[in-house]
Amino acid sequence: MSRVVLVLGDQLSPNLSALIEADKDTDLVVMAEVRAEATYAPHHPKKIAFLFAAMRKFAARLIREGWQVAYTRLDDPDNTHSIAGELARRADQHGANEVLMTEPGEWRLRDALSDPDSYKTPTKIIQLSDTRFVATQTEFDAWAEGRKQLRMEYFYRDMRRKTGLLMDGEKPVGGQWNFDHDNRKPAKGKDLFQEGPSRFAPDDTVNEVLDLVEREFPSNFGALRPFWFATDADQARQALDHFVDQRLETFGDYQDAMLQDDAFLSHAVLGLYINAGLLDPLEVCQAAEKAYENGKAPINAVEGFIRQIIGWREFVRGIYFREGPDYTRRNALNHQRKLPDMYWGGETRMACMAAAVSQTRSEAYAHHIQRLMVTGNFALLAGINPAEVHEWYLAVYADAYEWVEAPNVIGMSQFADGGVVGSKPYVSSGAYINRMSDYCKGCAYSVSAKTGEKACPFNVLYWHFLIRHRARFESNPRMGQMYRTWDKMDENRRETVLSDADTLLRNLSDNKPV
Ligand code: FAD
Ligand code: DLZ
Ligand code: SF4
């Protein structure tokens, strides 16, 4: 018996279940750069380059370790340009009658690759679970079953118990599960600036891929160069060590801060490496835990960081596969407006949006609060169609794969799942952005103006959102106060706010810059 063993672009881990199951002597590992994957979203050029370079290096590593690998480059003349096509072609060449894979992280590919009609010769298809996560889907489903509301915090505690991370026997280290009340300090200017993430000069493999991506995807949104991402496990480990040494200490404090001239602040910039398989999530958490034990980082930073990985990251994955393939099409608030051009770099007078988008264009990166409270908040307030918002996020960030992106966008950010991920929508007026960033002082709008031409768009749209969804949210205990504030407002003022918001929304629909 011989098999073809698929390794996808986000499965670049030596401990991948399919590789552990496979036989080095008889099986053929198949890896392929294909158009179907490179174009299902208009990916940022840096994201494509990162994955292709990391795939090439991982294939070279497997060959060094004694595997037989059939690697298809994007410009190979025989490339069939789909994963199923390449598996079928390689199976034919190798005389294989079985396909072995670790289940892909997306319904689209999972369904396509488990369909026997996708292949010519192989008859047996084996999809193994992806064991690179703390929780199995069965565990997540069992945890979720019967609960009225799924809350990350309780699931996270189980993951702490399961991994033993920051545990003192049965108790959480420091006597609390969550130290968030010590976190989230506002942006204070210069003292926040950090050295930034590790940067790696492109080697020959990376340069070859950069030339290919430049040639093949010339009009995708995003700057390909300068390219500095890690592209193999050793480099990613260096990036992890650098983060733990230099920025973990202040991760908690400045987790929510935003600065015009610092895209990364104390964030790890490791998500792209973890998601592609270059770093193991537990290895990352253990490195952070060790920094706490050695007195190099405080508990609020380390607990907050570990929670993002064994809490949020695991939780959103569980939701994605529990909710099913239609999740990305949900639109609970019936938002239908088109995504404005400003998301693709079109003109805007909003300094915060311009900063978040321009940073996204240059780095294929924005940190959580920029994604949630700037670009996400604006899309939600402005009633943008969540499917379009989802497609944008899936395309522009180097760490974006549907299993993690969709629950964050459709669920957390756009409330389009009607409250599966979050109990209330993440919306705010300009005051929040002003408190957490230095954007407003350079903006054409005034964050303190609540009505009129200079009024910050977040200020008027915030009320418009609350009012147009009053029936849904008024009884939410965490939102009732806002409706009471609105009801106490002078009636003329309320009318002006809503009519200013209508004008703004009309301008957006007419594709006029706001
Ligand atoms: P840090 O802020 O340093 O956090 C450390 C790690 O925690 C991250 O590397 C990541 O592995 C994990 N993490 C943190 N928050 C989350 C979260 N909400 N969900 C899952 N993992 C989390 N993350 C993605 O990996 N891919 C996406 O496509 C993605 N899209 C997002 C879209 C929106 C609208 C929002 C609000 C969040 C999204 N996130 C996504 C979550 C988070 O913003 C990124 O994981 C994070 O910004 C990556 O940068 P970092 O490595 O510097 O993370
Ligand atoms: C994102 C991506 C891109 C751009 N290109 C490839 C590719 O050419 N070959 C490949 O195997 N994987 C690629 N990927 C990652 C897949 O899209 C990813 O494995 C699925 O979306 C499942 O998460
Ligand atoms: Fe953004 Fe409003 Fe501040 Fe301008 S004033 S930067 S639009 S929050």
Side-chain angles (χ1 to χ4, degrees):
M1 178 196 69
S2 99
R3 297 179 290 200
V4 280
V5 182
L6 175 66
V7 175
L8 288 165
D10 56 353
Q11 296 183 334
L12 308 179
S13 317
N15 62 348
L16 189 74
S17 52
L19 286 172
I20 288 172
E21 176 70 23
D23 185 336
K24 242 184 214 177
D25 295 329
T26 50
D27 293 341
L28 177 73
V29 174
V30 173
M31 296 180 68
E33 299 165 11
V34 293
R35 283 206 173 275
E37 295 310 303
T39 59
Y40 66 77
H43 304 287
H44 195 296
K46 273 196 169 82
K47 177 182 180 185
I48 304 177
F50 161 63
L51 271 186
F52 285 6
M55 285 171 68
R56 288 182 186 195
K57 289 187 182 187
F58 189 72
R61 172 183 170 172
L62 290 179
I63 291 167
R64 279 197 305 277
E65 290 172 358
W67 291 93
Q68 295 179 68
V69 180
Y71 190 96
T72 309
R73 292 182 173 214
L74 193 77
D75 50 6
D76 280 352
D78 295 334
N79 193 334
T80 56
H81 286 297
S82 77
I83 297 292
E86 282 311 280
L87 276 173
R89 185 167 76 87
R90 297 304 192 177
D92 240 16
Q93 285 170 356
H94 194 61
N97 55 2
E98 258 185 53
V99 181
L100 175 65
M101 69 185 79
T102 295
E103 53 196 8
E106 198 182 327
W107 285 110
R108 170 188 62 88
L109 211 48
R110 199 177 270 200
D111 290 348
L113 296 183
S114 48
D115 176 1
D117 293 342
S118 300
Y119 313 100
K120 273 182 281 176
T121 36
T123 44
K124 195 162 165 203
I125 302 155
I126 306 168
Q127 279 196 3
L128 304 172
S129 339
D130 194 338
T131 51
R132 300 172 301 163
F133 291 86
V134 178
T136 63
Q137 193 61 35
T138 314
E139 277 172 319
F140 184 84
D141 289 341
W143 172 82
E145 200 50 43
R147 285 176 196 253
K148 255 200 195 144
Q149 281 211 309
L150 304 182
R151 289 297 153 252
M152 189 282 297
E153 183 63 31
Y154 299 110
F155 173 72
Y156 161 62
R157 292 178 192 179
D158 283 359
M159 296 301 99
R160 288 272 293 278
R161 292 187 188 98
K162 181 169 182 187
T163 57
L165 284 162
L166 296 179
M167 292 301 290
D168 189 359
E170 285 297 297
K171 298 214 172 85
V173 165
Q176 285 166 223
W177 292 103
N178 182 316
F179 287 82
D180 246 3
H181 60 81
D182 296 337
N183 290 340
R184 305 183 166 158
K185 297 200 169 58
K188 276 193 303 177
K190 281 210 174 66
D191 61 327
L192 264 154
F193 280 99
Q194 302 280 346
E195 194 188 309
S198 301
R199 290 164 189 264
F200 301 89
D203 55 22
D204 290 347
T205 305
V206 175
N207 276 323
E208 209 180 337
V209 166
L210 291 178
D211 291 342
L212 171 82
V213 172
E214 191 164 50
R215 223 173 32 243
E216 297 287 338
F217 306 95
S219 46
N220 286 26
F221 170 84
L224 177 62
R225 294 186 171 86
F227 182 92
W228 51 265
F229 290 150
T231 47
D232 61 38
D234 286 343
Q235 291 181 342
R237 180 72 212 193
Q238 285 175 48
L240 166 62
D241 291 345
H242 185 261
F243 163 70
V244 170
D245 272 359
Q246 305 286 320
R247 305 195 307 287
L248 175 61
E249 191 183 352
T250 47
F251 175 83
D253 288 353
Y254 298 126
Q255 208 176 329
D256 290 6
M258 298 176 277
L259 285 182
Q260 181 84 37
D261 296 326
D262 188 344
F264 309 107
L265 294 121
S266 295
H267 289 274
V269 197
L270 296 175
L272 76 166
Y273 308 139
I274 304 173
N275 293 349
L278 299 185
L279 286 175
D280 175 66
L282 270 185
E283 165 194 20
V284 173
C285 293
Q286 280 154 359
E289 183 184 42
K290 198 155 150 220
Y292 168 70
E293 287 166 357
N294 295 340
K296 294 189 75 181
I299 187 73
N300 68 309
V302 174
E303 185 282 315
F305 180 72
I306 287 177
R307 174 162 22 93
Q308 305 311 312
I309 297 178
I310 62 167
W312 279 113
R313 185 171 184 272
E314 296 282 331
F315 181 74
V316 297
R317 181 169 186 271
I319 299 261
Y320 175 75
F321 284 114
R322 183 175 161 78
E323 288 297 310
D326 80 319
Y327 189 73
T328 55
R329 295 189 293 278
R330 307 232 179 129
N331 191 353
L333 301 180
N334 192 24
H335 283 171
Q336 300 295 349
R337 190 163 281 104
K338 264 177 63 66
L339 188 76
D341 282 352
M342 69 169 125
Y343 281 80
W344 299 110
E347 192 186 341
T348 174
R349 298 194 302 142
M350 301 171 70
C352 54
M353 286 293 289
V357 171
S358 112
Q359 177 197 313
T360 299
R361 184 202 279 268
S362 55
E363 306 290 1
Y365 179 85
H367 71 66
H368 189 70
I369 293 302
Q370 294 171 307
R371 298 187 205 196
L372 187 63
M373 299 312 291
V374 179
T375 43
N377 187 13
F378 186 79
L380 178 57
L381 295 181
I384 310 299
N385 185 331
E388 292 198 25
V389 183
H390 151 67
E391 279 159 21
W392 183 78
Y393 279 97
L394 187 60
V396 301
Y397 293 115
D399 53 31
Y401 304 91
E402 202 174 276
W403 66 266
V404 54
E405 173 274 338
N408 272 297
V409 173
I410 296 289
M412 189 188 303
S413 162
Q414 299 302 300
F415 205 80
D417 65 3
V420 177
V421 171
S423 57
K424 81 182 232 327
Y426 280 94
V427 284
S428 80
S429 67
Y432 174 84
I433 296 173
N434 189 35
R435 188 163 68 252
M436 301 312 296
S437 79
D438 65 353
Y439 295 144
C440 298
K441 63 181 197 278
C443 186
Y445 294 103
S446 161
V447 72
S448 56
K450 312 284 190 231
T451 54
E453 279 203 347
K454 292 280 276 182
C456 164
F458 283 98
N459 291 346
V460 291
L461 292 179
Y462 176 69
W463 290 118
H464 195 276
F465 172 87
L466 288 179
I467 297 314
R468 69 177 188 267
H469 295 300
R470 185 164 193 152
R472 180 184 281 268
F473 295 125
E474 189 172 20
S475 57
N476 184 317
R478 295 168 67 199
M479 298 176 77
Q481 181 55 42
M482 298 321 301
Y483 287 97
R484 287 193 285 280
T485 306
W486 172 259
D487 290 339
K488 279 190 216 140
M489 234 185 250
D490 172 77
E491 198 175 331
N492 288 337
R493 188 177 168 133
R494 282 189 283 173
E495 269 173 27
T496 315
V497 168
L498 294 183
S499 91
D500 284 356
D502 279 330
T503 309
L504 208 137
L505 291 173
R506 246 192 330 274
N507 286 342
L508 275 180
S509 295
D510 295 346
N511 228 344
K512 291 187 188 150
V514 297

